[in-house]
């Protein structure tokens, strides 16, 4: 009989009863550093819960939080969820209409907002249908039209530091994130307490992130972006020192924080680490001595970067694979026995550039266009489909999107195309939407893009799929050249060194710039529309 | 919505799909070594499941397994549970009447038994009420009266190596163990799939056992003794190499196995490690090079032993704390930050001798006789009470024992007395009961007393626990004889009619009277002090 619910309360209880004196460091907007303990944080979470009771926020209601990584945001993570409410981690960088849409769909009753984003909220507040309170995450309220409004410190002030946390079923929603696709409005991904608890446990698995109470954990990845990859939860359950970088997100500031706070593990997209590498060479006072390992995701770090971090800095980079729907981590491996025994150094780095093996509890399979199994030979590719105890099984309020995204037997269709090699390592080679299906075979747009961008004369490149009468689809490249005199033939010759003839783009279009999405990705949808307009009926030969 | 059940099927699936080629090594009774892979083991588990279908064993039915640690036992762990049956891990060393009682209470339909224990089963089989089949864990059936009987290999022979594992709810029972207390018959502890899954996950936590796929795991602790401390499950989920020592359980054999198989982590009661330490000094060819860490439990290893293993062998010993009801692990810590920073070497060993911090998800509190909280000062002691997602909340079929063992607010009353120090480290200082812990097994003092007093020539008798170099504790009886001519040997012969040889008191002291407490109970504390004074240094043989 299940009598013990897997909830965020258990995590918080562990932090308080075992590691109450451990430190949470938070960089503030005004340049100061805020320091306190898990015990003190928990006291304020209790104050917050009491204040929310007074505001009349019922169990099950949601609050939007638009904030960077700081201690008040951390308090909201637990104060809201542990009192039976749900935290809607809202990306303030979304287009206004998306913010309106998701706050209304989530029926958020309170909006907690950083002073820096008050203006963003002011622009859309008149369209909010359910919001009844605004709280500015600061000591004071800036000049604003928003109302009723108070500061976070005013909200907490005078409330008891004790709170009788309610009994919570592990199936209760703890938080909700919205994921932006290339088309349509963001889709809601609601995590239960159980989802987050089980996701968090894997982070301490020695073959996954091996996060320990001996670590000092710094999530650079935003806490509004898929739970800061879950790291604020992990630090709490493990009793790790937690370092929240606030507005400090460039590599120089991150490096200084690592050295000052003895950070052992941190996480951000590869760009940050690429910048850090050159910065590390320039500044002699930066040591990164404490840094033990680095998590990244979204794209593969290049081999030279892996080697630099491993050998010079002494902190190997590990790439994870996941998605908002999976809270987010599914695949991450600290290098395994056979890889170490059987491969030379370069081979090991090549393996380490792949996300690796599924975490315990995660099941991954590859399926081709006909739903058939794809061999695990490191070459054959198929859609990555997944199951995990923390993977959602529906989009909030979106039965159609749900039906499209799950197979009949309950596997999540990631939309990513991948391979699995002889070591069981998973590699993501493309998005299903972006892969080029030519004559029944698949061509990876990402591989072509990376190889084009590896050419000296190319600044940026993207490859899209266009319709073709005979082959169904064919690749077309859009290139921003850094040198005037590079030709399509020259680039094709470059690609031919690694890829077969039938992978060669039918057309290479030189452009001034490539359109991007709000999250900075190449906007292939716009390019496809452009291409159809511009080159309609073109026999795809130059 | 929960759509993903936490079951042993998930563990097995991970071993097969990620680590199918990794090795399981099993030492056999005949001195040979059996080697195969997780893939091959899974094929045989499927054969087993098919064979059990043919035998007519329904979902939910139980089978008793009386076996040491070998590959067939391992196959039964998963083959039974993953097909929806339950494995009753039966301790063949229990007194006959207990074996009868628990096999009948569990309604076991099949008994799987090692050739070595066939005689034990023969002695009691006529009292089994539900057993319909016997299976000998070997190639052939020895001469026996048991029927119907076949060998395990005959059972599997000819069956398909594919099996459609049924959908299993995580709340379904996966296995049952019986725990012997001081009074009455053993009590059933039934584990759900969820219990075992969540227990297993913590073993890979970097602050707990940090078991990795890079490990070679050897459970010396018997697989009939609380799931072999869960290690066969852990190795499977992690994809570790698994080494099953079979009949090889003395320190020389264990040392040879460690060296031969590159074992990195192993687990057994402290006695084993004490012997290993002197053995290591004697035999120059023993290296223990691969050994990285050692798990123990039941009692604290002495500081010299901790130091020897840490410094000379390079494999620190960690003591865990748990109990059958908790599958068994609750508390185990690889030394933590503050301990390392603040204490000198000896202080660190002193800390390491304690079980340490509760594993993630485990909640521990100390309560005094009045149910009041006890300070965490390392001195004040109280009953250790616990909650954990894998702790049972009832004894099978025993509402009274259940009511006695759980508080009204759902905490398990361990019966152990402990302290919690400033680092949050838990130490067990005593038992509420006076159980005798001999070589990792329990001997009930009360049962021996009752049996002694059942002898005509005995007026009064009590049994205390005394320290023993090899077995940690041994029973010593104090007897008031009613007839002059009764001898210790005579009384031992009487006890041997019901209890195994290793239960026999090492010494039987004849006295005029037995000191009593004010409430008329035997004053064991006074007797222990008397014994220490009188017989100090006595080699415990008459």
């Amino acid at each position: 009989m299940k009598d013990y619910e897997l909830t965020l309360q258990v995590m918080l209880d562990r932090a308080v009863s075992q590691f109450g004196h451990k430190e949470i460091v938070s960089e503030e907007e005004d340049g100061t550093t805020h320091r306190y303990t898990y015990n003190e944080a928990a006291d304020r979470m209790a104050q917050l819960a009491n204040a929310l009771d007074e505001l009349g926020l019922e169990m099950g209601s949601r609050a939007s939080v638009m904030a960077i990584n700081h201690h008040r945001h951390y308090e909201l993570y637990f104060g809201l969820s542990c009192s039976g409410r749900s935290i809607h981690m809202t990306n303030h960088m979304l287009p206004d209409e998306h913010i309106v849409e998701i706050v209304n769909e989530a029926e958020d009753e309170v909006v907690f907002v950083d002073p820096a984003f008050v203006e963003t909220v002011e622009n859309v507040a008149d369209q909010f249908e359910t919001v009844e309170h605004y709280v500015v995450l600061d000591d004071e309220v800036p000049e604003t039209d928003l109302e009723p409004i108070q500061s976070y410190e005013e909200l907490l002030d005078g409330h008891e530091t004790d709170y009788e946390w309610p009994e919570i079923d592990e199936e209760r929603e703890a938080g909700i994130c919205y994921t932006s696709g290339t088309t349509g409005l963001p889709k809601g991904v609601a995590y239960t307490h159980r989802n987050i608890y089980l996701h968090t446990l894997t982070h301490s698995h020695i073959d996954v992130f091996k996060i320990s109470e001996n670590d000092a954990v710094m999530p650079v990845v935003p806490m509004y972006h898929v739970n800061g990859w879950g790291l604020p939860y992990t630090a709490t359950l493990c009793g790790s020192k937690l370092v929240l970088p606030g507005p400090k997100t460039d590599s120089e500031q991150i490096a200084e924080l690592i050295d000052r706070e003895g950070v052992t593990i941190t996480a951000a997209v590869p760009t940050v680490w690429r910048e850090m590498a050159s910065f590390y060479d320039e500044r002699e006072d930066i040591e990164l001595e404490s840094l033990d390992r680095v998590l990244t995701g979204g794209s593969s770090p290049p081999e030279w970067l892996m080697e630099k971090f491993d050998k010079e800095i002494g902190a190997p980079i590990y790439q994870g694979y996941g998605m908002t729907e999976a809270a987010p981590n599914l695949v991450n491996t600290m290098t395994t026995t056979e890889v170490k025994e059987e491969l030379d150094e370069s081979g090991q780095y090549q393996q380490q550039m792949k996300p690796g093996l599924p975490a315990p509890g995660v099941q991954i399979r590859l399926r081709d266009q006909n739903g058939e199994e794809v061999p695990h030979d490191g070459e054959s590719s198929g859609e990555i489909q997944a199951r995990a105890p923390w993977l959602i099984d529906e989009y909030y309020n979106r039965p159609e999107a749900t039906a499209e995204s799950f197979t009949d037997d309950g596997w999540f269709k990631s939309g990513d195309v991948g391979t699995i090699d002889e070591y069981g390592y998973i590699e993501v080679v493309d998005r299903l939407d972006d892969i080029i299906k030519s004559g029944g075979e698949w061509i990876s747009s990402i591989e072509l893009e990376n190889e084009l961008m590896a050419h000296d004369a190319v600044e940026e490149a993207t490859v899209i799929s266009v319709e073709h009468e005979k082959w169904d689809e064919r690749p077309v490249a859009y290139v921003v050249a850094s040198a005037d005199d590079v030709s399509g033939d020259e680039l094709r010759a470059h690609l031919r060194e690694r890829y077969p003839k039938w992978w060669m783009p039918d057309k290479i279009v030189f452009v001034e710039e490539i359109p991007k999405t709000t999250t900075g990705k190449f906007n292939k949808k716009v390019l496809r529309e452009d291409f159809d307009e511009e080159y309609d009926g073109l026999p795809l030969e130059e």
Side-chain angles (χ1 to χ4, degrees), chain A residues 366-372 374 381-383 432 435-442 472-473:
Chain A
L366 297 183
R367 285 289 182 272
D368 69 12
Q369 305 162 72
N370 307 315
E372 299 295 323
V374 168
S381 60
E383 185 184 27
L432 197 52
I435 204 110
I436 297 132
K437 290 162 211 153
S438 176
E441 298 289 339
W442 283 3
D472 293 329
E473 293 180 7

Side-chain angles (χ1 to χ4, degrees), chain A residues 118 122 125 134 142-149:
Chain A
V118 165
E122 281 175 335
Y134 295 92
E143 206 162 291
T144 173
D145 297 334
L146 296 173
E147 61 165 13
I149 190 163

Side-chain angles (χ1 to χ4, degrees), chain A residues 310-330:
Chain A
D310 189 14
K311 288 198 176 156
E312 289 182 41
I313 298 176
I317 299 182
Y318 296 99
Q319 189 203 175
Y321 168 66
M323 67 264 322
T324 306
E325 291 85 346
N329 190 57
L330 288 177

Side-chain angles (χ1 to χ4, degrees), chain A residues 207-208 318-319 331-336 352 354-358 425:
Chain A
D207 294 336
V208 184
Y318 296 99
Q319 189 203 175
V331 180
N332 190 295
T333 307
M334 310 289 178
T335 319
T336 53
Q352 200 177 319
K354 302 178 181 182
L357 299 175
Y425 276 46

Side-chain angles (χ1 to χ4, degrees), chain A residues 100-233:
Chain A
V100 169
E101 186 70 26
I102 66 178
V103 166
N104 286 342
E105 185 180 87
E107 300 177 63
D108 296 330
E109 295 175 36
V110 186
V111 173
F112 293 89
V113 58
D114 273 353
F117 313 137
V118 165
E119 207 181 308
T120 303
V121 175
E122 281 175 335
N123 290 342
V124 292
D126 62 334
Q127 298 172 69
F128 287 163
E129 291 161 5
T130 54
V131 176
E132 291 174 11
H133 308 277
Y134 295 92
V135 180
V136 179
L137 294 164
D138 204 351
D139 300 310
E140 291 170 5
V141 177
E143 206 162 291
T144 173
D145 297 334
L146 296 173
E147 61 165 13
I149 190 163
Q150 59 188 315
S151 80
Y152 185 79
E153 297 305 322
E154 285 165 8
L155 178 72
L156 264 55
D157 191 43
H159 285 286
E160 294 286 329
T161 56
D162 282 325
Y163 188 78
E164 185 83 20
W165 301 104
E167 280 190 23
I168 286 180
D169 188 290
E170 65 189 36
E171 298 301 332
R172 176 179 283 281
E173 178 182 314
I176 187 166
C177 281
Y178 275 80
T179 175
S180 319
T182 39
T183 54
L185 290 162
K187 299 185 292 268
V189 173
Y191 309 112
T192 63
H193 282 260
R194 174 182 163 109
N195 289 152
I196 294 175
Y197 188 93
L198 292 170
H199 180 256
T200 303
L201 272 186
T202 64
H203 287 187
S204 310
H205 191 295
I206 188 160
D207 294 336
V208 184
F209 296 163
K210 48 177 158 186
I211 294 177
S212 158
E213 77 105 344
N214 299 320
D215 275 312
V217 179
M218 180 167 71
V220 175
V221 57
M223 285 167 72
Y224 57 76
H225 183 70
V226 206
N227 321 315
W229 292 356
L231 295 176
Y233 298 121

